[in-house]
Amino acid sequence: MLTLPPNQVHGRRPIYISTFLIFVLANIGLSFTTSYPVLLVLRVFQAVGACSAIAIGAGTIADVTEPNERGSYMGYYALAQYTGLAIGPVIGGALSRRWDYHATFFFLTALSGPFLIFMVLCLVETLRSIVGNGSALVRGIYRPLLQPRPVSSVANSPRPPMKHPLSTPQQFGFLQPFLVFTRPETSLAIIAYSIVYASYYLSSASLPYLFKKVYGLDELWIGVSFVPSGVGCVVGTVLAGKILDWDYRRAVAKGATPVRMTRVRLQSAWIYLPCYSVSLLAYGWSVGEKLHIALPVVFQFAVGFFSIMYFTNINTLIVDLYPGKAASATAAVNLGRCVLGAGAVAVVQPMIAAVGAGWTFTVGAVLTLFIGLVCQALIYLYGEIWAAAGERTQ
């Protein structure tokens, strides 16, 4: 939330580099600290350095894509986020088992340090208010040390200078992400996204507890148990993006002008949400009834697969509704999903202890399906009207 106003005024590249530097420095500190209070503080800085890229990444995609191709790129964007779900727990579990928790942060330092150097060398500025369509001659912090070769149409024509970040009126304020909630269509989309995210965290947050208690797994095998969900996310991100682009092309082919984004982007979500809820329900009862471990592992794959396809659809819809302020819109999504996700993590173990895993996930699946379908129906029926009214007021 703190990095969004600067990135929408001063550009993407400076914020990417500065926040990633915080991430690297936090990892270095975490690699050596033995103090629990210091560890907590550094973990906060680590999160600040890492999570800003999620919101800024959506803004970058909005900078460089058109609606007819945005679905695929949003899928790749989600792929980068959720690949960690497939490999992170395995690596972390193996490192902790062989050494201790410090090894995880040494590994992150070794991984993130070279990537920071790569960003300084190669990352280009994309904010339209500064570089236009990308042909502007950049300078200072906005100029990568290794500049990409421009295409011939740009190289053979005069290139305008970059615009100064403060040369045009900008809305610079930390309230921008919160203003996204004032529009009903985006508020409903965020609620639908967040409720699925919260129920997804019911399964992921409780997995170590349940798999250790029910199946007696150690740290390494618990980490391996996250792989099916992560693989489902990886497969789902790519597939969902392709389907989104196909839905858009089909709407254009039918002569729908202008394309109703609130309907096109939700077209496949009507399938994903029920499939996700059924998968979550089946996972809860399979592990609650202590069935063979293969069953909850398979349902974990399905939960990851359908959840990420749903996330990709809703994320793309929100970026389409806020093409010039996609970073603020994505920050609002992050706020909503993190609040509900934190609540889910807080209640899942007490609920399992009180009523069992089966009924815990029954409640999560039913609430997710009901709230999600209500939000989708309202967006489908009234989203275009609300979006047009919101654009007029802005």
Side-chain angles (χ1 to χ4, degrees):
M1 301 292 286
L2 295 176
T3 59
L4 284 170
N7 110 83
Q8 292 183 157
V9 175
H10 296 287
R12 317 290 192 200
R13 178 178 156 87
I15 306 303
Y16 273 128
I17 293 174
S18 59
T19 55
F20 210 78
L21 177 61
I22 294 172
F23 178 70
V24 172
L25 294 176
N27 283 326
I28 294 173
L30 287 164
S31 300
F32 294 98
T33 185
T34 56
S35 168
Y36 185 69
V38 173
L39 184 142
L40 287 179
V41 172
L42 289 176
R43 284 284 285 167
V44 170
F45 281 101
Q46 184 193 41
V48 169
C51 70
S52 61
I54 297 175
I56 300 174
T60 302
I61 290 174
D63 292 338
V64 300
T65 60
E66 296 293 335
N68 64 316
E69 61 182 357
R70 190 168 292 150
S72 291
Y73 282 94
M74 288 298 292
Y76 300 141
Y77 162 71
L79 172 65
Q81 294 182 55
Y82 288 94
T83 299
L85 291 176
I87 61 175
V90 179
I91 296 173
L95 291 172
S96 297
R97 188 182 188 186
R98 176 63 179 83
W99 292 284
D100 62 8
Y101 72 92
H102 289 99
T104 303
F105 300 116
F106 275 112
F107 176 80
L108 289 174
T109 302
L111 197 66
S112 58
F115 192 76
L116 176 61
I117 296 173
F118 173 79
M119 293 173 72
V120 173
L121 292 175
C122 303
L123 182 66
V124 299
E125 179 57 58
T126 62
L127 188 63
R128 292 275 178 152
S129 62
I130 294 177
V131 298
N133 64 358
S135 63
L137 288 169
V138 293
R139 62 182 184 274
I141 186 63
Y142 302 100
R143 180 187 177 94
L145 299 182
L146 300 177
Q147 289 209 84
R149 185 188 300 273
V151 296
S152 57
S153 60
V154 174
N156 298 328
S157 59
R159 299 178 63 183
M162 62 171 279
K163 299 177 182 178
H164 191 277
L166 299 179
S167 63
T168 56
Q170 300 284 342
Q171 289 184 316
F172 185 95
F174 293 101
L175 295 179
Q176 287 300 309
F178 296 100
L179 295 179
V180 175
F181 291 100
T182 62
R183 286 176 51 170
E185 74 280 10
T186 49
S187 294
L188 290 168
I190 292 169
I191 292 171
Y193 186 112
S194 301
I195 193 67
V196 174
Y197 187 84
S199 61
Y200 175 80
Y201 258 77
L202 284 178
S203 64
S204 61
S206 63
L207 187 149
Y209 168 75
L210 288 173
F211 276 39
K212 184 174 184 178
K213 178 182 177 182
V214 175
Y215 301 109
L217 301 187
D218 62 12
E219 287 181 342
L220 177 60
W221 285 106
I222 287 174
V224 173
S225 300
F226 280 95
V227 171
S229 177
V231 172
C233 289
V234 169
V235 175
T237 52
V238 178
L239 186 59
K242 299 298 182 183
I243 293 174
L244 277 169
D245 288 347
W246 180 69
D247 286 340
Y248 184 89
R249 290 194 298 268
R250 190 171 59 169
V252 172
K254 288 181 179 179
T257 305
V259 175
R260 294 184 175 185
M261 286 300 186
T262 54
R263 297 194 172 187
V264 170
R265 299 309 192 194
L266 290 178
Q267 193 163 332
S268 301
W270 296 105
I271 300 172
Y272 303 153
L273 184 59
C275 290
Y276 166 78
S277 299
V278 170
S279 301
L280 187 69
L281 182 68
Y283 166 76
W285 282 105
S286 64
V287 72
E289 294 299 312
K290 302 181 181 180
L291 302 181
H292 192 279
I293 192 172
L295 280 174
V297 165
V298 169
F299 291 129
Q300 274 284 315
F301 173 88
V303 166
F305 179 76
F306 288 113
S307 65
I308 197 61
M309 295 186 81
Y310 190 77
F311 293 154
T312 303
N313 278 48
I314 300 298
N315 245 342
T316 307
L317 170 63
I318 292 172
V319 170
D320 286 332
L321 293 173
Y322 275 84
K325 299 177 182 177
S328 289
T330 306
V333 174
N334 290 342
L335 177 62
R337 70 173 185 169
C338 289
V339 169
L340 291 188
V345 171
V347 303
V348 62
Q349 286 199 22
M351 282 188 67
I352 291 174
V355 299
W359 287 110
T360 297
F361 287 98
T362 298
V363 172
V366 171
L367 284 177
T368 297
L369 183 62
F370 176 74
I371 295 174
L373 288 178
V374 169
C375 291
Q376 284 181 211
L378 291 173
I379 296 171
Y380 189 86
L381 293 173
Y382 306 110
E384 293 297 322
I385 299 173
W386 289 332
E391 291 174 0
R392 287 195 299 270
T393 58
Q394 288 180 349

